[in-house]
Amino acid sequence: LAVQKVAEEETWVLGSEGKGRVQPLGEVQARHVVKTGKETYLQMLLVDNFIHADMHPGNIIVRLTPGEKLPTLVLIDAGMVDVMGSHEQDNFIGLFKAMGSGDGEVAAKYLLNFSAKQDAADVE
């Protein structure tokens, strides 16, 4: 997996409207997109301490380059980004572990730890 770090600079991706150009991915391509997306997201959160605060499907471009077998993911609209402190990173790691083990109660506690004040939740 090659992750190009461009958080410090503004870059542009040339393209055109996707009208009439949307095509389904094959199984190998789709698996590549999912794996690359997961690895990129975890790299940002857990290694680089970088969070893209507006990550949704509209901000992810799957680019198919003629002659290439696998698509490239392009993340756009990095207008809301932040660098996480150790407290936030620990909460994300705990949240991911709890979700992976199917422990909703522990996952909820880690989510609540993101807020210093919890007026609407009974955390006991």
Side-chain angles (χ1 to χ4, degrees):
L1 171 69
V3 177
Q4 183 180 4
K5 293 184 182 185
V6 292
E8 299 85 18
E9 62 185 68
E10 187 171 329
T11 60
W12 298 92
V13 176
L14 295 176
S16 61
E17 289 188 32
K19 295 177 183 175
R21 297 174 42 111
V22 176
Q23 51 188 305
L25 296 175
E27 183 177 344
V28 171
Q29 291 175 318
R31 288 184 183 279
H32 174 76
V33 167
V34 171
K35 181 178 185 243
T36 302
K38 176 189 71 174
E39 289 175 356
T40 301
Y41 188 70
L42 293 176
Q43 170 82 29
M44 280 192 307
L45 288 176
L46 304 179
V47 177
D48 299 331
N49 275 344
F50 176 80
I51 186 163
H52 185 304
D54 194 24
M55 187 62 64
H56 58 79
N59 283 339
I60 302 171
I61 298 171
V62 178
R63 181 172 34 190
L64 297 169
T65 304
E68 295 289 327
K69 292 183 180 181
L70 297 175
T72 302
L73 291 186
V74 180
L75 308 180
I76 62 171
D77 193 10
M80 293 191 303
V81 297
D82 201 359
V83 175
M84 293 188 295
S86 61
H87 176 72
E88 290 96 1
Q89 191 176 34
D90 289 344
N91 278 330
F92 266 113
I93 291 169
L95 174 62
F96 289 147
K97 285 182 178 179
M99 289 170 54
S101 66
D103 192 336
E105 187 173 335
V106 171
K109 288 180 182 179
Y110 279 107
L111 282 172
L112 290 172
N113 282 339
F114 282 105
S115 174
K117 186 176 179 183
Q118 300 162 6
D119 291 338
D122 180 9
V123 295
E124 299 303 322

